[in-house]
Amino acid sequence: MRFSFPLHARIFVGMITGAALGLICRQADLPAETLQFIIACLKPVGDIFLRMIFMMVIPLIFSALTLGVAELGDLRRIGRIGMKTLGYSILITGISVLIGITMVEIFRPGDGMSETDRTTLLQQYAGNYQKVKENVTVAQAQAPGDLITKIVPRNPLEDMVRAFDPTYTGGGLLAVMFLSVMMGIALSSADPDKTQTFRKFLEGLYEIVMKIIGYAMQLAPFGVAALLFQLTANLGYGVLLMILKYVILVLVALAIHQFGTYSLAVRFLGGMNPIFFFKNIREVMLTAFATSSSNASLPDAIRVTVEKLKIPREIANFVLTVGSTANQNGTALYEGITVLFLAQCFGVDLTLTQQITVVVMSVLAGIGTAGVPGGSLPLMVTVLMSVGIPGESITLIYGADRILDMSRTVLNVTGDITAAVVINRSEKATLAEP
Ligand code: ASP
């Protein structure tokens, strides 16, 4: 008999089981050595899951960003509509990240951590406080000019090899991103006959990376259980409360963008009543929530946009297809909040330059994120490391990721539909001009 319990339900069960067992062990007052022994036995399970994701970061950035930028570059050929879609995407994604980081700076959910918990956490993920502090300081110490210079890799292979080395002072993942963006730009303007094989290679690589991330996700229920066990056995209820605060903050920020920014965009840029808009796209929002995937929601999104919102099929097809991979507002907002939250948990303050880096990287990550469940995870690691925060610390929030993934996907898909509405209006205005 085939086991058909859906993955998200299994992850959820893993999350609850891991957290509950951790709390029970902590309450049971086991001798410290026994507890540490159990944690040490479970650690490889969580670590292997994370390493599977880390393993895919470089191939993913290289294939997804190069292809993503090449596709955006191709938009130039499609002309006006393409350029408008690109401009709108960057603007609306930028706004979403700003909402996220403003909220996390105002409410500072990561500040509530006690010194002892913080030390345990740091030991778990980064060796010690000093080490994280040093890494962030190395990242901070760079003058903006220096940082910009290093983003242009002298030897991209070195940046790839040392991308996860916190003592490396080169461009690292940022440099790999730069290389990919340049290759994408060049690919979109080079002779297609000569570059077709390379493009196919990248498409193949991307497919394979996605498959492997899929395998890693099959391990997720066990990985999440092991990670949450370690967390609650070491830190108790306190950490769960803090994560709860973070989750609520992300959900509130997502809701502000979903119903605030999008209503304004639809009303003033798209000329459509927001109530009419949301009433008609309800079912797509539900599909996005249930599938956690912009790609899987695409057919439904196109149908509703054409049939219910009466947007011409050519515009809906084009804008929604491009948007489902390149316009991920919810993901970008979530990444901005998460980086600052984890920085707060580790007790480090990011400088203005670093916060700007986070905004830019989150917008780029929105372009590079695949529209599949958990697609943003590898890029999240990238954004974290670019400001000196250990990539492993993602385990702190990963247990709660599923619900956030479902919710941010709703924004990703709604954002694409608002783009279709806005572009349709501006096209009508253009056509009406004498
Ligand atoms: N699941 C998201 C989507 O498909 C991507 C992510 O943020 O992980 O839109």
Side-chain angles (χ1 to χ4, degrees):
M1 198 180 73
R2 242 184 87 78
F3 186 59
S4 62
F5 204 32
L7 181 63
H8 60 90
R10 277 182 278 150
I11 296 180
F12 188 70
V13 171
M15 180 177 120
I16 302 288
T17 317
L21 289 178
L23 283 177
I24 293 172
C25 285
R26 192 178 160 87
Q27 293 308 105
D29 260 342
L30 297 177
E33 305 82 62
T34 316
L35 188 59
Q36 288 317 316
F37 178 74
I38 302 178
I39 291 179
C41 290
L42 286 176
K43 198 170 179 301
V45 183
D47 285 356
I48 288 174
F49 163 62
L50 278 180
R51 280 174 168 254
M52 292 273 288
I53 301 281
F54 273 50
M55 176 172 95
M56 288 296 110
V57 169
I58 301 273
L60 178 68
I61 295 183
F62 188 61
S63 56
L65 208 54
T66 308
L67 283 172
V69 173
E71 270 156 28
L72 288 178
D74 290 343
L75 296 186
R76 260 182 325 167
R77 289 194 208 119
I78 298 155
R80 214 175 45 215
I81 298 188
M83 291 320 280
K84 281 185 193 167
T85 310
L86 176 61
Y88 176 79
S89 285
I90 294 178
L91 174 78
I92 206 88
T93 313
I95 295 177
S96 75
V97 183
L98 288 179
I99 292 179
I101 65 173
T102 310
M103 300 254 315
V104 78
E105 277 302 325
I106 295 176
F107 295 101
R108 302 193 66 88
D111 278 355
M113 183 163 280
S114 72
E115 271 314 309
T116 14
D117 284 356
R118 182 169 288 159
T119 316
T120 320
L121 199 67
L122 284 160
Q123 269 164 359
Q124 201 167 325
Y125 298 132
N128 59 42
Y129 181 64
Q130 226 29 52
K131 229 159 126 191
V132 175
K133 196 86 186 142
E134 272 162 27
N135 295 339
V136 177
T137 323
V138 168
Q140 278 173 358
Q142 316 201 32
D146 241 20
L147 184 67
I148 292 169
T149 315
K150 281 180 187 157
I151 288 175
V152 185
R154 193 166 44 185
N155 175 357
L157 286 182
E158 186 183 15
D159 285 298
M160 287 186 189
V161 172
R162 299 194 62 190
F164 296 115
D165 174 357
T167 58
Y168 180 53
T169 51
L173 287 170
L174 274 176
V176 181
M177 281 185 145
F178 181 84
L179 172 76
S180 313
V181 170
M182 291 313 286
M183 296 203 53
I185 294 173
L187 187 58
S188 72
S189 51
D191 178 355
D193 284 342
K194 293 190 179 138
T195 50
Q196 178 187 15
T197 315
F198 182 66
R199 198 186 272 253
K200 284 259 167 283
F201 162 77
L202 287 180
E203 283 168 4
L205 181 62
Y206 180 75
E207 279 302 309
I208 291 170
V209 171
M210 283 299 126
K211 269 262 174 287
I212 297 181
I213 292 180
Y215 301 151
M217 292 305 283
Q218 295 299 321
L219 290 181
F222 307 101
V224 165
L227 296 169
L228 271 156
F229 178 87
Q230 284 178 57
L231 213 60
T232 52
N234 273 327
L235 305 177
Y237 290 111
V239 68
L240 287 184
L241 271 181
M242 225 180 56
I243 296 174
L244 187 67
K245 265 201 225 157
Y246 152 82
V247 169
I248 292 175
L249 191 89
V250 176
L251 293 178
V252 172
L254 288 175
I256 293 179
H257 194 63
Q258 170 86 5
F259 297 108
T261 319
Y262 288 157
S263 295
L264 292 174
V266 164
R267 178 81 205 87
F268 295 108
L269 300 176
M272 189 181 274
N273 182 339
I275 298 176
F276 169 83
F277 174 82
F278 282 113
K279 227 169 151 182
N280 280 293
I281 65 158
R282 259 183 323 198
E283 69 180 80
V284 191
M285 285 166 58
L286 282 176
T287 313
F289 188 74
T291 58
S292 243
S293 163
S294 307
N295 290 353
S297 316
L298 182 61
D300 210 19
I302 294 183
R303 187 181 57 76
V304 166
T305 311
V306 173
E307 286 175 11
K308 300 205 167 155
L309 302 182
K310 310 282 178 231
I311 305 289
R313 186 168 286 281
E314 321 77 77
I315 293 191
N317 271 349
F318 172 74
V319 176
L320 295 178
T321 310
V322 174
S324 73
T325 31
N327 180 34
Q328 312 272 38
N329 309 161
T331 298
L333 181 153
Y334 147 85
E335 301 203 343
I337 293 194
T338 306
V339 175
L340 295 197
F341 167 70
L342 290 173
Q344 288 166 6
C345 291
F346 287 115
V348 286
D349 271 323
L350 301 183
T351 59
L352 188 64
T353 320
Q354 283 179 310
Q355 298 201 14
I356 294 173
T357 311
V358 172
V359 176
V360 175
M361 297 274 293
S362 301
V363 174
L364 270 181
I367 296 179
T369 294
V372 297
S376 57
L377 209 56
L379 288 162
M380 183 74 241
V381 174
T382 313
V383 186
L384 281 172
M385 301 210 33
S386 71
V387 288
I389 300 176
E392 286 79 1
S393 60
I394 194 158
T395 50
L396 189 64
I397 45 109
Y398 189 67
D401 191 62
R402 185 66 200 191
I403 179 75
L404 297 183
D405 193 4
M406 295 167 93
S407 314
R408 64 185 182 251
T409 307
V410 175
L411 263 82
N412 292 346
V413 175
T414 311
D416 300 338
I417 305 180
T418 65
V421 172
V422 169
I423 293 194
N424 179 47
R425 162 94 180 287
S426 73
E427 278 302 292
K428 273 192 200 144
T430 319
L431 293 178
E433 271 168 18

